[in-house]
């Protein structure tokens, strides 16, 4: 296992070197500039996300689509992932993670637009879309579309499944001494009960679960920051300084390199919000919306909530807690979040436990849909049932295997999905600009899209 883990770690390090960082951030920045900073429309995006679009075609509402995407993104990346980034890259990784989210809003916007632009309707009226359809129909790259679908199917078993199940089992074992085998069995049954109903069942559960779990976690973080109020400004200052001058960070943290801070911050930022990964547009394609830009804006609001708000708050809570309680071992990413939250009397541990359990479980549900659509693209709908069985079994496997191996595999799958998706966004940026000009810049956001 150690040899295998070393191999996967080496591959992950190669994939997440400077070329990937440049491609990812470069795409975020390029699209931000070319689309005239769509971040300025974030409040319009939030408003549209809770507004019905009567008469529009699609399988689920825009809010249900967003909730499912958020269910898949708001997971261990927001809690354990941020802690791992801090442990490996120092407090400066929090800023890099946050910046990835800010600029990633543009990329998530572009992904949502292409998802609607190139989606297809099946014989029974279901909507299918995502990067594989943009690659095939927009660029004519069927082979690349197939590769993306393969990477997505495998990634769903890693980033969306085993990582989340491992986090749930680890927390249950460390906090309540529940055997990972027991936890894995329970999560398997709950997962099966939801995903058997398909996208509508998943979207219905996520629409109820996501707003409640996110609001409770945010309120909990606000309370913890209130308790750590004396250390808040020093923590924010430390995060900003160590992102660009990590050798003398102080505050109970050891120094690291800028490349390490950037690498782990960006990697965990992508893991958290998935902007550029190409997963969220798969469910965005199922949304009932009258034109591509409306759904693009709704999709972009997911990155805002996930990284700009929740990841940032988690990072500040952890850094301020380490500064307030020097006995916390910030080098242990697996327990750093737990140690930081446990210092807050009464509410700290329950907030973390509830947040991690619900975040991770909702991610398992959301990623199941992504994997199903990838398998359907590759082999047809008849293989979806077999995939669900494998997916449920993977939940149990993830509950009992080593966390380090899981994280390294997840990073590898992230990169392999991101590469073809980012290429499609760059090469189809002209289409994205034209659609944005037609519906957003010319003030026709309420217009129906033209049928091809």
């Amino acid at each position: 296992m150690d040899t295998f883990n070393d191999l996967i770690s080496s591959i992950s390090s190669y994939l997440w070197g400077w070329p990937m960082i440049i491609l990812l951030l470069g795409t975020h920045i390029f699209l931000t500039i070319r689309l005239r900073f769509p971040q300025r429309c974030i409040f319009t995006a939030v408003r549209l996300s809770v507004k019905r679009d009567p008469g529009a075609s699609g399988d689920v509402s825009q809010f249900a689509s967003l909730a499912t995407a958020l269910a898949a993104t708001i997971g261990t990346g927001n809690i354990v992932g941020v802690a791992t980034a801090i442990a490996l890259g120092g407090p400066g990784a929090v800023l890099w993670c946050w910046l990835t989210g800010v600029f990633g809003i543009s990329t998530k916007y572009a992904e949502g637009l292409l998802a609607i632009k190139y989606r297809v309707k099946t014989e029974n009226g279901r909507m299918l879309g995502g990067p594989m359809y943009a690659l095939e129909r927009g660029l004519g790259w069927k082979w690349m579309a197939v590769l993306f679908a393969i990477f997505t199917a495998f990634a769903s078993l890693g980033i969306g499944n085993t990582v989340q199940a491992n986090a749930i089992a680890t927390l249950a074992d460390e906090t309540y001494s529940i055997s990972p085998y027991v936890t894995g069995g329970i999560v398997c049954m709950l997962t099966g009960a939801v995903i058997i109903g398909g996208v509508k069942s998943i979207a219905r559960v996520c629409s109820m679960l996501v707003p409640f779990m996110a609001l409770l976690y945010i309120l909990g973080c606000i309370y913890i920051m209130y308790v750590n109020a004396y250390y808040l400004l020093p923590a924010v200052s430390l995060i900003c300084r160590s992102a660009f001058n990590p050798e003398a960070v102080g505050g109970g943290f050891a120094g690291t390199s800028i490349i390490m801070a950037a690498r782990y911050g960006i990697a965990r930022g992508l893991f958290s919000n998935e902007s550029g990964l190409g997963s969220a547009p798969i469910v965005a394609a199922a949304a009932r919306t009258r034109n591509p830009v409306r759904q693009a804006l709704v999709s972009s609001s997911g990155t805002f909530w996930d990284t700009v708000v929740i990841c940032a708050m988690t990072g500040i809570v952890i850094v301020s807690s380490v500064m307030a309680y020097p006995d916390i071992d910030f080098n242990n990413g697996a327990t750093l979040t737990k140690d930081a939250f446990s210092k807050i009397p009464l509410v700290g541990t329950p907030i973390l436990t509830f947040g991690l359990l619900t975040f991770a479980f909702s991610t398992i549900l959301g990623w199941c849909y992504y994997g199903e659509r990838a398998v359907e693209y590759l082999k047809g709908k008849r293989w979806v049932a077999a995939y669900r069985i494998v997916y449920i079994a993977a939940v149990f496997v993830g509950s009992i295997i080593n966390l380090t191996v899981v994280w390294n595999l997840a990073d590898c799958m992230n990169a392999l999905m991101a590469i073809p998706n980012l290429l499609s966004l760059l090469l189809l940026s002209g289409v994205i600009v034209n659609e944005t000009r037609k519906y957003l810049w010319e003030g026709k956001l309420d217009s129906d899209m033209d049928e091809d």
Side-chain angles (χ1 to χ4, degrees), residues 1 4 22 32 51 109 133 145 221 296 318 334 362 389 396 402 418 432 439 448:
M1 183 61 72
F4 177 71
I22 292 172
T32 293
K51 183 178 180 180
Y109 170 93
Y133 294 91
C221 285
I318 292 174
S362 67
I389 295 173
F396 184 80
N402 182 273
I432 298 169
Y439 295 107
D448 294 329

Side-chain angles (χ1 to χ4, degrees), residues 203-275:
R204 183 168 58 252
V205 173
C206 292
S207 296
M208 295 185 293
L209 183 60
V210 169
F212 176 70
M213 71 181 192
L215 178 61
L216 186 61
Y217 183 75
I218 289 173
L219 291 175
C221 285
I222 291 174
Y223 173 75
I224 294 174
M225 288 191 289
Y226 171 77
V227 174
N228 292 343
Y230 179 80
Y231 297 93
L232 282 187
L233 289 180
V236 173
S237 175
L238 179 63
I239 288 170
C240 295
R241 285 187 290 108
S242 61
F244 304 102
N245 183 29
E247 294 182 357
V249 293
F253 293 91
T256 183
S257 65
I258 293 178
I259 182 61
M260 293 294 282
R263 177 198 164 192
Y264 287 106
I266 292 171
R268 294 299 180 248
L270 176 59
F271 185 91
S272 169
N273 63 57
E274 300 174 13
S275 293

Side-chain angles (χ1 to χ4, degrees), residues 23-312:
L23 177 61
L24 178 62
L25 277 183
T27 301
H28 289 353
I29 295 171
F30 170 76
L31 290 173
T32 293
I33 295 173
R34 190 161 192 200
L35 294 172
R36 302 179 186 176
F37 293 84
Q39 292 89 342
R40 59 192 171 85
C41 300
I42 193 62
F43 294 110
T44 298
V46 172
R47 177 178 58 82
L48 289 174
S49 69
V50 296
K51 183 178 180 180
R52 292 186 178 276
D53 209 352
S57 57
D59 299 332
V60 296
S61 68
Q62 289 181 319
F63 178 76
S65 171
L66 175 63
T68 304
L70 279 174
T73 55
I74 300 180
T76 55
N78 302 84
I79 302 177
V80 180
V82 173
T84 304
I86 293 172
L88 296 174
V94 177
L95 180 61
W96 288 106
C97 180
W98 186 78
L99 288 174
T100 301
V102 171
F103 287 103
I105 289 174
S106 299
T107 301
K108 188 63 72 72
Y109 170 93
E111 290 175 322
L113 190 151
L114 293 181
I116 300 298
K117 176 70 176 178
Y118 293 111
R119 69 182 180 179
V120 299
K121 181 182 288 188
T122 64
E123 294 180 355
N124 60 5
R126 292 184 305 120
M127 291 293 187
L128 302 178
M132 51 275 204
Y133 294 91
L135 287 163
E136 179 182 353
R137 302 183 69 210
L139 295 173
W141 289 2
K142 174 71 174 181
W143 64 276
M144 185 69 83
V146 169
L147 283 179
F148 177 85
I150 292 173
F151 296 149
T152 301
F154 279 106
S156 68
L157 299 174
I159 179 179
N161 186 319
T162 51
V163 165
Q164 314 302 328
N166 188 282
I168 293 173
T170 299
L171 182 64
D173 185 24
E174 293 179 351
T175 306
Y176 303 109
S177 299
I178 300 175
S179 169
Y181 291 89
V182 174
T183 303
I186 294 173
V187 178
C188 278
M189 290 188 290
L190 292 174
T191 301
V194 176
I195 68 176
I196 194 172
V199 63
K200 292 185 178 180
S201 174
I202 294 172
R204 183 168 58 252
V205 173
C206 292
S207 296
M208 295 185 293
L209 183 60
V210 169
F212 176 70
M213 71 181 192
L215 178 61
L216 186 61
Y217 183 75
I218 289 173
L219 291 175
C221 285
I222 291 174
Y223 173 75
I224 294 174
M225 288 191 289
Y226 171 77
V227 174
N228 292 343
Y230 179 80
Y231 297 93
L232 282 187
L233 289 180
V236 173
S237 175
L238 179 63
I239 288 170
C240 295
R241 285 187 290 108
S242 61
F244 304 102
N245 183 29
E247 294 182 357
V249 293
F253 293 91
T256 183
S257 65
I258 293 178
I259 182 61
M260 293 294 282
R263 177 198 164 192
Y264 287 106
I266 292 171
R268 294 299 180 248
L270 176 59
F271 185 91
S272 169
N273 63 57
E274 300 174 13
S275 293
L277 189 62
S279 53
I282 296 175
V283 70
R288 288 192 290 269
T289 185
R290 67 184 68 182
N291 63 61
V293 171
R294 288 175 72 92
Q295 182 55 38
L297 288 170
V298 172
S299 294
S300 71
S301 68
T303 299
F304 170 76
W305 291 117
D306 179 88
T307 305
V308 178
V309 176
I310 295 179
C311 277

